[in-house]
Amino acid sequence: MSTAMNFGSKSFQPRPPDKGSFPLDHFDPDWASYTLGVFICLSCSGIHRNIPHVSKVKSVRLDTWEDVQVEFMASRGNAIARATFESRVPPFYYRPSASDCPLLREQWIRAKYERQEFAHPERQEPYSAGYREGFLWKRGRDNGQFLSRKFVLTEREGALKYFNRSDAKEPKAVMKIEHLNATFQPAKIGHPHGLQVTYLKDNSTRNIFVYHEDGKEMVDWFNALRAARFHYLQVAFPGASNADLVPKLSRNYLQEGYMEKTGPKTEGFRKRWFTMDDRRLMYFKDPLDAFARGEVFIGSRESGYTVLDGLPPSTQGHHWPHGITIVTPERRFLLACETESEQRAWMEALRKVVDRPMLPQEYAVEAHFKHKP
């Protein structure tokens, strides 16, 4: 509940942001933009300070407020600002939450208030045109070096392509929009604008890691990929609503981190980087590997999948003490975490997937896993 706040000589009841406003988890923020008339959290106040020609910020509790500023805040509020500055947000445009990386949050605020893209649809052309090309720094699969590569996104062909040379006739890779995902991974990639793009190649996951020095450019690429996915899904599922399609445009990983694993025979435990991407549990020797060393399909409880706390008593060879056993219809997968908190996080992520009923198309994916050599 919002409390009365003193602004100089005035006191009034500020309206808290509604659930549709950004950020999503702050309903009694301590900062305000007195030029925009919105209340904001501490984290967002830092971003607003970087655009002083648009937004000027004060503390609600600590700063002195002039009467005219108080009256302006009282007449505005987050709901009015949202109606003004978010009137034309495309359904595919990613709305960040407080847990998203700083780049996404900054570019949302700049797009909304500084560039006013969501009040003027013609300013959305960089990500809504259905075609985009440009150069991104891409990590080499074998040498790990980032090199400039030409990328082309074309909705008409339903693909994202990249070329090893700007004058190359044939692309090095063609990534079908149907099976493409993108998620920001600044810590993993080592760059604040780092984006991980994944796609299926021969029904196995392939990773590429890219960045651009210009944050707006990188977020525009991300939203252009989401726009292409959105239009593909509109055709693939003509009866689906926007609310049904938007969650399918891109997805963050359910869990990532190091665990130890052992094989189906008597080999010892080895440290591997694991990524939980929907129902695919993948493991890599290095977090930036292009291909997974292996993938495990995690089905539903009704189909014979379970996640158990700990390892069988006879298990040997693991250095980390906190075990997890994944039971599938074919075999058991034995994993070990270094800390109890990591084990709890993995157990929660795995059980969420197991507790979710499988969709019809997921049975086809499961069948492919069962027939892998």
Side-chain angles (χ1 to χ4, degrees), residues 144-161:
Q145 292 182 324
F146 280 90
L147 298 170
S148 180
R149 294 288 182 254
K150 180 183 176 181
F151 281 78
V152 175
L153 171 66
T154 165
E155 277 187 21
R156 185 174 56 82
E157 298 177 31
L160 173 68
K161 310 173 187 179

Side-chain angles (χ1 to χ4, degrees), residues 3 19 26 34-35 108 147 156 183 214 229 247 262 292 345 350 373:
T3 57
K19 291 186 178 182
H26 290 277
Y34 62 88
T35 52
W108 166 261
L147 298 170
R156 185 174 56 82
T183 180
D214 185 324
R229 289 266 305 156
T262 187
L350 288 161

Side-chain angles (χ1 to χ4, degrees), residues 194-239:
L195 186 74
Q196 180 173 348
V197 178
T198 63
Y199 64 101
L200 292 182
K201 184 175 182 179
D202 302 324
N203 212 41
S204 293
T205 303
R206 166 80 160 95
N207 297 321
I208 66 168
F209 303 94
V210 298
Y211 72 85
H212 196 284
E213 293 294 351
D214 185 324
K216 178 183 183 299
E217 182 80 6
M218 198 69 261
V219 173
D220 283 350
W221 270 103
F222 175 63
N223 282 302
L225 293 172
R226 285 174 56 90
R229 289 266 305 156
F230 181 68
H231 296 138
Y232 161 77
L233 292 170
Q234 281 183 312
V235 174
F237 304 97

Side-chain angles (χ1 to χ4, degrees), residues 52-76:
H53 55 291
V54 173
S55 182
K56 296 188 185 298
V57 176
K58 282 188 175 185
S59 167
V60 168
R61 304 182 191 279
L62 303 177
D63 289 326
T64 302
W65 287 72
E66 299 172 10
D67 288 352
V68 66
Q69 294 169 346
V70 175
E71 289 164 5
F72 180 70
M73 293 298 299
S75 69
R76 300 286 291 180

Side-chain angles (χ1 to χ4, degrees), residues 174-176 178-181 198-206 251 280 282 295 365:
V174 177
M175 298 160 256
K176 290 293 184 185
E178 178 184 2
H179 301 299
L180 187 142
N181 183 46
T198 63
Y199 64 101
L200 292 182
K201 184 175 182 179
D202 302 324
N203 212 41
S204 293
T205 303
R206 166 80 160 95
R251 59 191 180 274
R280 290 176 182 258
M282 299 170 281
E295 299 188 36
V365 178

Side-chain angles (χ1 to χ4, degrees), residues 93-346:
Y93 196 97
Y94 187 81
R95 292 173 177 263
S97 70
S99 61
D100 278 305
C101 67
L103 175 66
L104 277 170
R105 291 185 283 121
E106 177 185 2
Q107 288 303 317
W108 166 261
I109 289 171
R110 287 185 178 274
K112 179 176 173 180
Y113 295 119
E114 184 181 40
R115 299 189 293 269
Q116 297 191 21
E117 294 174 12
F118 311 136
H120 303 279
E122 68 276 8
R123 299 178 187 176
Q124 301 167 12
E125 192 271 340
Y127 44 82
S128 63
Y131 181 88
R132 184 177 179 85
E133 67 174 75
F135 288 85
L136 300 173
W137 292 96
K138 177 192 168 293
R139 188 179 190 273
R141 187 184 70 180
D142 300 318
N143 59 20
Q145 292 182 324
F146 280 90
L147 298 170
S148 180
R149 294 288 182 254
K150 180 183 176 181
F151 281 78
V152 175
L153 171 66
T154 165
E155 277 187 21
R156 185 174 56 82
E157 298 177 31
L160 173 68
K161 310 173 187 179
Y162 81 85
F163 300 79
N164 271 354
R165 298 190 319 275
S166 58
D167 60 348
K169 295 287 192 292
E170 295 298 322
K172 177 67 174 175
V174 177
M175 298 160 256
K176 290 293 184 185
I177 293 298
E178 178 184 2
H179 301 299
L180 187 142
N181 183 46
T183 180
F184 278 97
Q185 296 276 22
K188 183 196 289 189
I189 295 171
H191 193 282
H193 306 163
L195 186 74
Q196 180 173 348
V197 178
T198 63
Y199 64 101
L200 292 182
K201 184 175 182 179
D202 302 324
N203 212 41
S204 293
T205 303
R206 166 80 160 95
N207 297 321
I208 66 168
F209 303 94
V210 298
Y211 72 85
H212 196 284
E213 293 294 351
D214 185 324
K216 178 183 183 299
E217 182 80 6
M218 198 69 261
V219 173
D220 283 350
W221 270 103
F222 175 63
N223 282 302
L225 293 172
R226 285 174 56 90
R229 289 266 305 156
F230 181 68
H231 296 138
Y232 161 77
L233 292 170
Q234 281 183 312
V235 174
F237 304 97
S241 67
N242 288 352
D244 294 327
L245 299 181
V246 167
K248 303 178 188 299
L249 301 185
S250 63
R251 59 191 180 274
N252 294 324
Y253 298 133
L254 301 178
Q255 184 71 15
E256 281 199 292
Y258 283 107
M259 289 191 287
E260 290 183 332
K261 71 166 290 291
T262 187
K265 299 179 183 177
T266 56
E267 63 186 74
F269 278 75
R270 292 191 174 93
K271 181 181 174 183
R272 294 289 183 258
W273 177 267
F274 281 79
T275 296
M276 187 79 206
D277 183 11
D278 197 32
R279 290 196 182 272
R280 290 176 182 258
L281 178 63
M282 299 170 281
Y283 54 91
F284 306 82
K285 188 173 182 181
D286 183 273
L288 296 177
D289 283 347
F291 291 99
R293 290 295 182 96
E295 299 188 36
V296 181
F297 182 83
I298 308 295
S300 65
R301 197 175 302 281
E302 293 82 359
S303 299
Y305 294 81
T306 12
V307 182
L308 304 176
D309 187 345
L311 299 170
S314 59
T315 307
Q316 296 180 349
H318 56 97
H319 299 93
W320 288 347
H322 305 282
I324 299 173
T325 300
I326 301 174
V327 181
T328 76
E330 283 70 45
R331 57 168 283 204
R332 290 173 175 239
F333 293 88
L334 308 182
L335 310 171
C337 299
E338 186 174 16
T339 67
E340 186 178 354
S341 63
E342 290 172 347
Q343 180 205 37
R344 283 199 304 269
W346 276 106

